[in-house]
């Protein structure tokens, strides 16, 4: 444990040292009590599972989790604890409780005692490999023995030959995709899938203590790890990539090296445990890098009906036209959500495919039994690969209403707001009418698509029933500023953190942002507080970097008709917010949206930020009539940017409330720790307290 009571290198006076020692003793006592309470809570979670086993109640009760978290936030706030800190802590505790209940219910369902104290598990590469780390996470609390295998095939054989109880294999990665070799082995094997584990991959570059990054001539890596880090390594290093059978083998090669000029791609945890130095962190092409592992056994296990379950099958349909569509329609009619579909060529049958399908459902359920019977009737081959508890359990998050209320009341302890919460206009929630004939745009029109488009940004949905708030500073000025804003955004219920990195200023003397340095600060702040991030794009040259760093790109009003830029973002798979030009009609806005849609990207959000009129009291005249009109004639979600429209912070809150009243899907709002000293947008940015007030008022129940 570290502390900052004394400055580094300054031991202080004897009295200070004595006081520090006493404080450390108290900290240790508190930590011991926390551990004891956590163990007690886990025991109570097991008691809950025993009760649920007899009552057949589902293991997950997210409504109760929400009530629990809201109560804990209120208590934490009274004790001076931030809601984000309390929520993060208890989300981990809730996850542990769910795992404890799942383990008991699975043992009970299969008429077993508690899981054996000692298990033999086959993993690729052995200790230090990601398979080993994932196995330690899945088979938690056991004194297990691990059999290191040099190939996937040997893992399968070791289970089939009864040398181990279980095996763990990677099946897919969120960035590099499916591991096709494993699918082929599953099809030919008699083994069954009994579980899955999703493990966050944190690729680092590790070397000997004396190794220098710029002197490297070889980097050892498993092929999948090398693929997942290809772009970063290419940009930063010129060393030769040497492929090995596992991450454990890569670490072994570095440990026995005598030159000091080699490194390995491995996890930070395994690298440090191997006695190596971290040369470079975060080298994966994507920060969101997760590998899904499958747990294999010789015999299938039942899955408790109280758990969310997943079933995996393999099937072939022959080459009859439309046969795959027939199979998928069976699952649609049975209301069984599909999770993944892969295909592999069948050896010896030219152009025929074996399909691998994961769907949500328990193989013991009647609708699953009936669906699989129907599939068998139209397929040449079908094999059940396994039914197992699903790891696709969404984290319970508090509503923006609960968070904003807590932060608002905390910022105003001695007074209550007299403002009435706004009421959303129910007419705006009614089904939209069809659009009349248009003169230009087609893809953005309701004639092209009758239902509302829902644009998802890392779990945040624009165009559904929710009201989304994007917020942040008008421009990122330094690392501390955006970190403080991210923390306040999380505390008040903001869905997406925004921040200007590439500001197109009106005059050349105005602040134009920190560029890629600011983008890096924005990304780090978003990751620290688990918030998706948005920034602007002003040219095509920066697109390749922005698409890997930002979760949502915004195109400014000045660039609304920059057709080269619209075409470029249209060829990407990243959501785009398109702002209406100050002198542009609604039809011109939708025509601009069509440029993006026509090049493939269907993830477009429209933004109304006012039009330039004869009125000079505000920067622009905010056209609220545009919101219901756009919702009538277009299927795209639309939000309002009141901060920029009016340019005066005292008008932002009523404009935000009005935006919700007329049916906008969300708002974009500027706020700043010290608006009066902001380098950009000083007049329009809210301070922290007024921003909390706004969040409370737009989300408070009527």
């Amino acid at each position: 444990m570290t502390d900052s009571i004394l400055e580094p290198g300054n031991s202080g006076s004897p009295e200070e040292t004595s006081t520090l020692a006493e404080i450390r003793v108290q900290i240790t006592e508190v930590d011991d009590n926390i551990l004891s309470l956590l163990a007690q809570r886990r025991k109570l979670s097991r008691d809950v599972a025993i009760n649920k086993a007899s009552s057949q109640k589902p293991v997950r009760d997210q409504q109760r989790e929400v009530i629990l978290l809201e109560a804990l936030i209120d208590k934490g706030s009274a004790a001076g604890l931030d809601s984000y800190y309390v929520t993060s802590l208890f989300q981990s505790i809730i996850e542990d409780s769910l795992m404890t209940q799942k383990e008991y219910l699975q043992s009970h369902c299969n008429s077993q005692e508690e899981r054996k104290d000692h298990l033999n598990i086959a993993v690729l590469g052995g200790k230090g490999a990601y398979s080993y780390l994932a196995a330690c996470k899945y088979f938690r609390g056991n004194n297990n023995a691990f059999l290191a295998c040099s190939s996937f095939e040997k893992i399968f054989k070791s289970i089939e030959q009864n040398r181990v109880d279980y095996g763990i294999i990677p099946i897919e990665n969120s960035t590099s995709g499916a591991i096709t070799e494993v699918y082929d082995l599953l099809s030919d094997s008699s083994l069954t899938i009994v579980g899955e584990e999703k493990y966050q991959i944190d690729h680092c570059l590790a070397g000997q203590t004396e190794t220098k990054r710029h002197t490297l001539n070889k980097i050892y890596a498993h092929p999948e790890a090398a693929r997942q880090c290809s772009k970063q390594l290419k940009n930063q290093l010129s060393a030769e990539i040497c492929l090995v059978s596992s991450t454990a083998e890569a670490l072994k090669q570095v440990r026995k090296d005598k030159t000091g000029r080699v490194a390995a791609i491995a996890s930070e945890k395994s690298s440090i445990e191997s006695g190596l130095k971290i040369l470079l962190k975060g080298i994966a092409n994507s920060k969101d890098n997760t590998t899904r592992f499958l747990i294999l056994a010789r015999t299938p296990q039942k899955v408790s009906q109280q758990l969310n379950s997943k079933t995996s099958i393999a099937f072939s349909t022959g080459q009859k036209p439309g046969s795959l569509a027939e199979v998928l329609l069976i699952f649609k009619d049975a209301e069984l959500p599909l999770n993944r579909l892969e295909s592999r060529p069948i050896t010896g049958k030219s152009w025929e495919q074996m399909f691998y399908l994961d769907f949500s459902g328990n193989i013991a359920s009647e609708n699953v039994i009936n669906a699989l019977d129907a599939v068998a009737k139209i397929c040449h081959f079908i094999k059940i690969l396994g039914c197992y508890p699903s790891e696709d359990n969404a984290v319970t998050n508090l509503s923006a209403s609960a968070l904003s209320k807590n932060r608002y009341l905390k910022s105003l302890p001695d007074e209550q707001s007299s403002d009435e919460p706004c009421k959303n206009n129910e007419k705006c929630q009614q089904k939209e009418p069809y659009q009349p004939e248009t003169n230009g745009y087609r893809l953005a029109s309701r004639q092209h698509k009758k239902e509302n488009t829902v644009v998802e940004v890392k779990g945040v949905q624009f165009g559904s029933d929710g009201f989304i708030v994007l917020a942040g500073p008008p421009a990122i000025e330094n690392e501390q500023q955006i970190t403080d804003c991210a923390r306040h955004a999380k505390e008040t219920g903001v869905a997406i953190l925004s921040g200007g990195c590439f500001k197109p200023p009106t005059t050349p003397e105005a602040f134009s942002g920190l560029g890629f340095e600011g983008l890096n600060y924005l990304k780090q702040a978003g990751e620290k507080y688990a918030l998706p991030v948005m920034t602007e794009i002003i040219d095509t040259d920066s697109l390749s970097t922005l698409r890997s760093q930002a979760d949502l790109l915004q195109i400014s009003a000045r660039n609304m008709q920059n057709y080269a830029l619209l075409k470029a973002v249209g060829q990407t798979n990243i959501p785009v917010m398109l702002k209406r030009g100050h002198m542009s009609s609604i039809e011109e806005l939708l025509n601009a949206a069509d440029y993006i849609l026509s090049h493939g990207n269907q993830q477009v959000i429209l933004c109304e930020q006012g039009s330039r009129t004869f009125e000079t009291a505000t920067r622009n005249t905010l056209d609220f009539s545009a919101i219901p009109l756009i919702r009538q004639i277009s299927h795209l979600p639309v939000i309002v940017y009141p901060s920029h429209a009016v340019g005066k912070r005292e008008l932002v809150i009523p404009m935000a409330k009005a935006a919700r009243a007329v049916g906008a899907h969300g708002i974009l709002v500027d706020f700043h720790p010290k608006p009066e000293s902001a380098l950009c947008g000083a007049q329009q940015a809210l301070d922290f307290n007024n921003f909390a007030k706004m969040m409370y008022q737009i989300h408070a129940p009527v």
Side-chain angles (χ1 to χ4, degrees):
M1 180 174 293
T2 60
D3 52 68
S4 57
I5 294 175
L6 295 178
E7 293 294 327
N10 180 12
S11 60
S13 65
E15 292 79 13
E16 290 174 329
T17 305
S18 175
T19 301
L20 178 57
E22 292 172 359
I23 293 173
R24 284 174 170 165
V25 168
Q26 294 177 41
I27 289 174
T28 301
E29 290 177 355
V30 171
D31 290 344
D32 289 344
N33 289 334
I34 291 173
L35 290 174
S36 177
L37 290 170
L38 288 174
Q40 183 179 344
R41 198 187 194 286
R42 180 180 283 185
K43 181 180 180 302
L44 290 171
S45 296
R46 187 178 181 278
D47 292 341
V48 168
I50 294 172
N51 179 276
K52 287 181 177 178
S54 59
S55 65
Q56 291 299 305
K57 291 181 179 179
V59 69
R60 197 79 190 268
D61 185 352
Q62 287 195 277
Q63 187 175 1
R64 168 170 160 70
E65 290 174 24
V66 169
I67 294 171
L68 171 68
L69 287 173
E70 288 182 356
L72 289 168
I73 280 184
D74 288 342
K75 293 177 182 177
S77 179
L81 299 176
D82 294 335
S83 61
Y84 177 68
Y85 175 65
V86 174
T87 304
S88 301
L89 175 63
F90 278 91
Q91 281 174 339
S92 297
I93 292 173
I94 289 171
E95 181 183 1
D96 180 81
S97 174
L98 293 173
M99 291 177 66
T100 300
Q101 293 181 57
K102 182 182 77 173
E103 289 171 0
Y104 176 83
L105 290 171
Q106 277 300 93
S107 297
H108 180 80
C109 179
N110 289 279
S111 302
Q112 299 171 351
E113 298 296 328
E114 291 292 327
R115 186 184 280 170
K116 292 192 301 184
D117 290 335
H118 181 83
L119 295 172
N120 295 308
I121 305 161
V123 298
L124 182 68
K127 189 173 183 179
Y130 283 106
S131 294
Y132 168 79
L133 297 175
C136 290
K137 183 182 175 187
Y138 184 86
F139 296 100
R140 60 175 191 157
N142 293 87
N143 182 24
N144 301 319
F146 294 91
L147 175 64
C149 298
S150 58
S151 68
F152 295 139
E153 186 176 4
K154 289 182 178 179
I155 293 176
F156 276 79
K157 286 184 177 179
S158 66
I159 308 169
E160 292 168 343
Q161 295 169 358
N162 205 19
R163 296 175 61 198
V164 294
D165 300 299
Y166 297 97
I168 185 168
I169 55 168
I171 187 67
E172 61 175 311
N173 178 267
S174 59
T175 60
S176 58
I179 301 172
T180 54
E181 179 187 351
V182 174
Y183 281 105
D184 295 337
L185 290 168
L186 283 171
S187 178
D188 298 334
S189 172
S190 61
L191 300 180
T192 184
I193 306 169
V194 296
E196 66 175 357
E197 181 64 53
K198 293 183 176 178
Y199 193 85
Q200 184 74 30
I201 305 299
D202 62 333
H203 289 310
C204 297
L205 201 63
Q208 299 278 12
T209 305
E210 67 278 7
T211 303
K212 305 296 182 184
R213 201 168 74 202
H214 65 276
T215 65
L216 292 176
N217 58 20
K218 285 186 180 180
I219 297 174
Y220 291 96
H222 183 269
E224 285 297 321
R227 188 178 298 116
Q228 293 163 22
C229 302
S230 58
K231 294 179 182 178
Q232 293 282 7
L233 294 179
K234 182 180 179 180
N235 292 337
Q236 301 195 42
L237 302 167
S238 58
E240 176 190 1
I241 306 298
C242 301
L243 302 181
V244 292
S245 60
S246 68
T247 301
E249 178 63 23
L251 292 168
K252 179 181 176 182
Q253 292 294 330
V254 176
R255 285 198 303 270
K256 69 179 186 180
D257 172 66
K258 303 298 182 183
T259 68
R261 301 186 67 186
V262 303
I265 298 177
S267 72
E268 183 176 0
K269 183 177 187 294
S270 295
S271 301
I272 293 173
E273 288 180 353
S274 299
L276 301 179
K277 180 179 72 172
I278 303 300
L279 304 176
L280 190 62
K281 292 184 180 181
I283 61 172
N285 299 336
S286 172
K287 300 297 182 183
D288 301 321
N289 189 9
T290 301
T291 295
R292 176 178 169 237
F293 293 85
L294 298 180
I295 315 301
L296 302 179
R298 286 180 294 280
T299 57
Q301 295 180 0
K302 296 178 182 177
V303 180
S304 170
Q305 296 277 15
Q306 297 162 269
L307 299 173
N308 292 331
S309 56
K310 186 181 289 184
T311 298
S312 297
I313 63 172
F315 64 92
S316 65
T317 62
Q319 294 180 298
K320 178 184 174 183
S323 55
L324 177 59
E326 286 184 66
V327 172
L328 300 182
L329 282 173
I330 290 172
F331 290 97
K332 179 180 182 295
D333 293 340
E335 298 183 347
L336 295 171
L338 305 184
N339 306 116
R340 187 169 183 83
L341 177 65
E342 288 286 341
S343 66
R344 294 286 296 148
I346 300 175
T347 304
K349 294 186 177 183
S350 298
W351 313 118
E352 286 197 34
Q353 300 286 315
M354 182 71 72
F355 296 100
Y356 297 86
L357 179 68
D358 297 340
F359 64 89
S360 297
N362 193 316
I363 201 170
S365 301
E366 184 177 357
N367 63 332
V368 173
I369 294 172
N370 293 336
L372 293 179
D373 284 345
V375 171
K377 292 175 182 177
I378 60 175
C379 285
H380 291 176
F381 171 85
I382 181 170
K383 178 182 179 180
I384 297 171
L385 302 176
C387 180
Y388 44 96
S390 172
E391 288 297 306
D392 298 332
N393 294 318
V395 174
T396 298
N397 289 307
L398 289 182
S399 66
S401 175
L403 290 169
S404 61
K405 175 184 175 183
N406 178 271
R407 175 54 62 175
Y408 172 60
L409 296 178
K410 193 173 181 179
S411 67
L412 300 173
D414 299 323
E415 60 178 290
Q416 295 294 326
S417 171
S418 60
D419 295 310
E420 290 295 326
C422 66
K423 181 178 181 180
N424 194 16
N425 189 342
E426 295 181 359
K427 292 183 180 179
C428 295
Q429 305 303 319
Q430 294 176 0
K431 188 175 181 180
E432 320 290 3
Y434 289 108
Q435 168 182 313
E437 291 292 333
T438 67
N439 294 322
Y441 59 92
R442 179 181 68 86
L443 299 178
S445 72
R446 284 208 178 271
Q447 286 181 323
H448 173 71
K449 183 179 180 182
K450 292 182 289 184
E451 64 275 11
N452 292 336
T453 287
V454 176
V455 177
E456 185 166 324
V457 182
K458 296 188 75 172
V460 179
Q461 292 188 335
F462 292 84
S464 59
D465 294 335
F467 186 75
I468 307 302
V469 178
L470 308 90
I476 297 172
E477 300 166 3
N478 53 64
E479 184 176 9
Q480 187 62 52
Q481 174 230 28
I482 187 60
T483 301
D484 290 345
C485 287
R487 177 184 177 188
H488 191 67
K490 189 69 177 183
E491 291 286 313
T492 51
V494 168
I496 295 179
L497 177 67
S498 68
C501 302
F502 308 91
K503 301 297 292 182
T506 306
T507 64
E509 293 81 16
F511 181 63
S512 59
L514 298 179
F516 291 108
E517 180 186 4
L519 179 63
N520 191 40
Y521 293 153
L522 176 65
K523 183 67 173 175
Q524 290 175 358
E527 289 175 349
K528 181 175 182 179
Y529 291 102
L531 286 167
V533 298
M534 177 184 76
T535 195
E536 65 280 292
I537 179 169
I538 60 173
D539 55 50
T540 57
D541 294 339
S542 59
L543 180 57
S544 60
T545 301
L546 281 167
R547 65 189 295 183
S548 65
Q549 294 287 89
D551 303 302
L552 173 62
L553 298 179
Q554 61 168 310
I555 296 178
S556 69
R558 294 185 181 94
N559 273 313
M560 191 200 84
Q561 292 178 316
N562 181 341
Y563 299 119
L565 182 59
L566 298 181
K567 291 177 183 178
V569 298
Q571 294 169 0
T572 69
N573 189 29
I574 183 170
V576 180
M577 178 186 295
L578 180 64
K579 293 179 175 177
R580 180 183 174 188
H582 300 141
M583 299 291 287
S584 300
S585 67
I586 292 175
E587 184 176 353
E588 288 171 330
L589 171 65
L590 295 176
N591 281 332
D594 255 31
Y595 266 91
I596 301 173
L597 298 170
S598 65
H599 283 78
N601 191 346
Q602 307 300 301
Q603 306 165 94
V604 178
I605 303 163
L606 304 175
C607 180
E608 168 61 41
Q609 58 176 13
S611 300
R612 185 166 295 170
T613 68
F614 63 86
E615 182 55 69
T616 58
T618 56
R619 177 187 288 125
N620 297 312
T621 299
L622 190 47
D623 183 7
F624 280 122
S625 66
I627 305 305
L629 180 56
I630 288 174
R631 290 194 57 168
Q632 281 187 354
I633 63 178
S634 175
H635 55 85
L636 298 175
V638 56
I639 72 163
V640 174
Y641 186 10
S643 301
H644 181 83
V646 295
K648 295 184 177 182
R649 70 173 61 92
E650 62 270 20
L651 300 179
V652 169
I653 295 180
M655 295 298 101
K657 292 160 69 175
R660 180 161 193 176
V662 297
H665 294 107
I667 52 174
L668 170 61
V669 175
D670 295 334
F671 71 96
H672 192 284
K674 296 180 179 179
E676 63 280 359
S677 61
L679 300 180
C680 176
Q683 299 299 318
Q684 67 194 46
L686 299 174
D687 61 22
F688 279 12
N689 281 350
N690 277 303
F691 182 78
K693 176 182 177 182
M694 181 205 74
M695 290 295 289
Y696 169 70
Q697 291 183 359
I698 64 173
H699 288 300
V702 177

